[in-house]
Amino acid sequence: MLRAQGKAVHQCDQGWVPVFVDQEQSISLMSVGFLLENPNEAVVWRGPKKHALIKQFVSDVAWGELDYLVVDTPPGTSDEHMATVEALRPYRPLGALVVTTPQAVSVGDVRRELTFCRKTGLQVIGVVENMSGFVCPHCADCTNVFSRGGGEELAQLAGVPFLGSVPLDPQLTRSLEEGRDFIQEFPKSTAYAALTSIAQKVLHRMPALHS
Amino acid sequence: MEEAPHGCPGADSAQAGRGASCQGCPNQRLCASGAGAAPDPAVEEIKEKMKTVKHRILVLSGKGGVGKSTFSAHLAYGLAEDGDTQVALLDIDICGPSIPKIMGLEGEQYMEDNLGVMSVGFLLSSPDDAVIWRGPKKNGMIKQFLRDVDWGDVDYLIVDTPPGTSDEHLSVVQYLAAAHIDGAVILTTPQEVALQDVRKEISFCHKVKLPIIGVVENMSGFICPKCKKESQIFPPTTGGAEAMCQDLKIPLLGKVPLDPLIGKSCDKGQSFFIEAPDSPATAAYKSIIQRLPGAAFDSEYKPREGQREDCGFVADLCLPQVDGSDSSLSPHWSLQPGIMLWLGAINIPQKRP
């Protein structure tokens, strides 16, 4: 998605060097995707192996001076999630952003994710509702393709902040898949305003989360 | 039995029970005796249990959120429309068991006379309960589902899986190894980011010798309810599943358009076929279902003879070596997990006489 496919991970004295995705080198990335010989190869690992690699991503990558480390996780409440919490615990993670879609079925799953956060002592920064409505490019009518209301309902149920809804934006997907630069394309997206607003809310919560 | 330690050398390793990290592990004695390397007796027990099950179909996806559970539920509904067909749906998404909600079954275990459902969702007392289990515990639950549920005479056992290629997928393939799986249906959405993960899923199927019945492209086009014009919410920038299937010579079973009523039906726990019988999505589903029983026998992907049974392989990784050693990665581990819950036999209703 960030046009970094095929890049290699090198090592330096401090460890593995993460891949920078922009010219200003303000965003670096580490992923098992960089370590695959063949991008179509399946990573068929059981829990302990995944756990070990995640630990390495935290301890062996030369992240350098970072303002934020954002960790993207797979769905669920299993090995990867436990490994990430364990590996980051010594560094006092600020918390979790929990993403749902508007449907009740998604909320049903994400409630359990919130329980995971509670049980592992991970603060919930807030809930984000993704894929929240699609604006028809022909008539500009907005359809709730994946139902509506799930994000706010979930935040209310769990007593955590609702940070906002992000609409579906096929144009952004298309432009990224056609190889355009995310940093250039993103500000033109209908999702940009929503995501920027959410980012601002997260930043405003930082002082409260630190204490 | 608890989980193994992180530095576990693996139950089938020469160091099993003897390594430094084995000290204090409750499984140490078992491993040191060589029991971990022996084939799991459950595989034969499951083979026996599966003698009353005619067809076993796995529903897989590379990515989450592509509609796999929705598809599995509606596949089960569709097959069960024929009252003489006995259908069972097994949900092995242990951490995210959505099937009970999608089918309006929270609190129950079966719905129609000829459609039975099993999910860890039924065993959780609260909708907020999280199943925070590592791989071995999940594997134990899957073994119990396959071995200890009284499936009875079933024409189709549909297995809904979580996204990816990990413990649950390896376990279900391993435990059903002797019983034989007819094949896998792989779900995707049209965009390249999803297809990339489907290619990995296909690679998984090849590695474990799982026949591929075909691919279903979900969320394929959206008809605006207001102006009736079509848009691509998930644009097929590289030709969608159709191009990928042609390239890899895998059957494309069909394309299901995005209908907002699908999500609404699932939220209500209703069958979309009943809520929107005239939707193009219903027609697409039905056409895909029609292709399944025959497709299961016509699949081009058959297990190749002479390949090893054990699914303990490792993807080739180009890891930057820090000190020349790879000791930080533990080898593939397949220790038999402990059973934390006893389910008891669930009786799937028999065919009508």
Side-chain angles (χ1 to χ4, degrees):
Chain A
M1 288 189 203
L2 294 175
R3 224 171 45 152
Q5 248 180 320
K7 300 243 169 106
V9 171
H10 304 285
Q11 60 155 337
C12 66
D13 291 339
Q14 288 78 44
W16 302 355
V17 182
V19 174
F20 287 104
V21 303
D22 61 332
Q23 285 206 330
E24 296 81 14
Q25 299 204 332
S26 63
I27 305 175
S28 60
L29 174 63
M30 180 52 69
S31 163
V32 77
F34 294 131
L35 308 176
L36 295 175
E37 272 196 6
N38 174 356
N40 295 331
E41 186 89 359
V43 179
V44 192
W45 288 359
R46 289 195 187 269
K49 235 180 143 72
K50 294 191 281 187
H51 188 111
L53 187 62
I54 290 168
K55 264 176 63 177
Q56 276 198 281
F57 279 162
V58 173
S59 59
D60 294 348
V61 172
W63 292 107
E65 294 290 327
L66 281 183
D67 293 291
Y68 294 99
L69 176 67
V70 180
V71 183
D72 183 33
T73 63
T77 52
S78 189
D79 293 274
E80 294 90 334
H81 313 85
M82 286 191 260
T84 307
V85 170
E86 271 174 41
L88 288 177
R89 207 185 287 284
Y91 307 97
R92 293 180 59 232
L94 283 179
L97 281 174
V98 177
V99 184
T100 183
T101 58
Q103 293 166 268
V105 168
S106 176
V107 167
D109 271 349
V110 182
R111 283 173 80 161
R112 307 189 200 279
E113 205 69 54
L114 288 166
T115 303
F116 169 83
C117 292
R118 205 179 63 244
K119 289 201 164 174
T120 54
L122 197 54
Q123 266 193 106
V124 175
I125 302 172
V127 169
V128 172
E129 181 183 278
N130 201 10
M131 304 201 190
S132 190
F134 172 66
V135 177
C136 175
H138 306 289
C139 68
D141 189 55
C142 181
T143 307
N144 294 313
V145 285
F146 297 118
S147 294
R148 61 189 296 259
E152 289 202 58
E153 181 199 315
L154 183 65
Q156 216 165 23
L157 262 171
V160 297
F162 177 63
L163 297 175
S165 310
V166 184
L168 280 158
D169 183 359
Q171 271 308 106
L172 184 61
T173 311
R174 184 183 289 280
S175 68
L176 295 180
E177 293 198 347
E178 285 169 354
R180 298 211 207 109
D181 185 351
F182 174 79
I183 309 287
Q184 301 298 323
E185 296 298 308
F186 182 43
K188 305 176 203 166
S189 160
T190 51
Y192 180 73
L195 281 161
T196 314
S197 154
I198 289 167
Q200 289 298 323
K201 287 184 186 160
V202 171
L203 285 171
H204 283 142
R205 284 211 74 210
M206 289 293 108
L209 292 167
H210 271 295
S211 56
Chain B
M1 248 194 208
E2 295 300 322
E3 302 155 24
H6 299 323
C8 169
D12 42 9
S13 138
Q15 285 304 305
R18 298 182 178 88
S21 42
C22 300
Q23 301 304 318
C25 173
N27 303 326
Q28 186 181 13
R29 198 178 286 179
L30 189 67
C31 286
S33 70
D40 190 336
V43 174
E44 282 301 313
E45 290 167 354
I46 290 167
K47 180 184 177 184
E48 278 306 304
K49 254 310 171 30
M50 289 290 140
K51 283 190 167 156
T52 56
V53 176
K54 286 209 187 98
H55 299 294
R56 284 157 291 279
I57 296 175
L58 297 196
V59 181
L60 305 176
S61 75
K63 227 162 186 35
V66 298
K68 190 174 18 52
S69 298
T70 305
F71 177 82
S72 300
H74 286 81
L75 172 56
Y77 283 137
L79 289 168
E81 275 184 359
D82 172 5
D84 290 328
T85 304
Q86 200 74 13
V87 182
L89 174 58
L90 171 59
D91 174 9
I92 62 166
D93 189 344
I94 308 289
C95 296
S98 339
I99 294 287
K101 188 164 189 74
I102 288 174
M103 299 182 89
L105 284 178
E106 288 170 313
E108 296 171 35
Q109 271 139 12
Y110 54 86
M111 40 193 317
E112 309 293 340
D113 282 349
N114 65 332
L115 172 53
V117 181
M118 193 58 208
S119 167
V120 82
F122 296 134
L123 309 176
L124 300 172
S125 47
S126 153
D128 291 310
D129 281 348
V131 183
I132 308 174
W133 287 0
R134 293 187 194 275
K137 275 191 181 158
K138 294 193 285 185
N139 301 338
M141 178 61 50
I142 292 167
K143 176 157 62 174
Q144 274 199 280
F145 279 152
L146 292 170
R147 185 191 60 194
D148 300 335
V149 170
D150 183 11
W151 295 104
D153 287 322
V154 168
D155 293 289
Y156 291 95
L157 172 64
I158 312 292
V159 182
D160 185 37
T161 62
T165 52
S166 187
D167 284 274
E168 296 88 334
H169 314 86
L170 277 171
S171 294
V172 77
V173 167
Q174 280 184 320
Y175 289 132
L176 287 175
H180 178 63
I181 301 173
D182 291 74
V185 175
I186 307 177
L187 267 284
T188 184
T189 47
Q191 77 275 45
E192 175 58 23
V193 148
L195 296 178
Q196 277 186 355
D197 284 350
V198 173
R199 291 190 196 99
K200 294 192 210 294
E201 204 69 31
I202 291 168
S203 148
F204 166 79
C205 292
H206 291 168
K207 284 188 174 181
V208 300
K209 303 177 295 180
L210 179 59
I212 298 173
I213 298 173
V215 170
V216 171
E217 183 181 272
N218 205 8
M219 307 191 193
S220 184
F222 168 71
I223 308 286
C224 176
K226 188 173 179 206
C227 69
K228 309 296 180 203
K229 294 210 170 108
E230 193 184 13
S231 314
Q232 294 290 347
I233 293 189
F234 301 107
T237 49
T238 53
E242 193 161 353
M244 181 193 69
C245 287
Q246 251 169 21
D247 196 36
L248 299 176
K249 299 186 180 27
I250 290 175
L252 176 67
L253 295 176
K255 299 188 198 182
V256 183
L258 229 184
D259 187 331
L261 284 176
I262 299 179
K264 290 204 173 80
S265 309
C266 291
D267 280 358
K268 290 195 292 186
Q270 300 290 330
S271 162
F272 174 68
F273 300 154
I274 295 172
E275 296 281 295
D278 301 321
S279 164
T282 297
Y285 263 110
K286 296 272 174 99
S287 147
I288 289 164
I289 291 169
Q290 287 300 319
R291 296 188 62 180
L292 281 175
F297 297 111
D298 295 342
S299 168
E300 293 170 37
Y301 290 88
K302 301 285 183 205
R304 289 187 285 277
E305 291 302 320
Q307 282 196 312
R308 59 182 184 143
E309 286 287 330
D310 170 43
C311 299
F313 45 79
V314 178
D316 289 329
L317 287 196
C318 309
L319 278 179
Q321 296 305 316
V322 177
D323 58 3
S325 72
D326 195 17
S327 57
S328 51
L329 288 183
S330 52
H332 167 74
W333 177 45
S334 58
L335 185 71
Q336 296 169 44
I339 307 302
M340 302 304 290
L341 283 181
W342 168 245
L343 286 178
I346 309 293
N347 291 312
I348 307 291
Q350 297 305 305
K351 269 190 185 167
R352 292 191 201 118

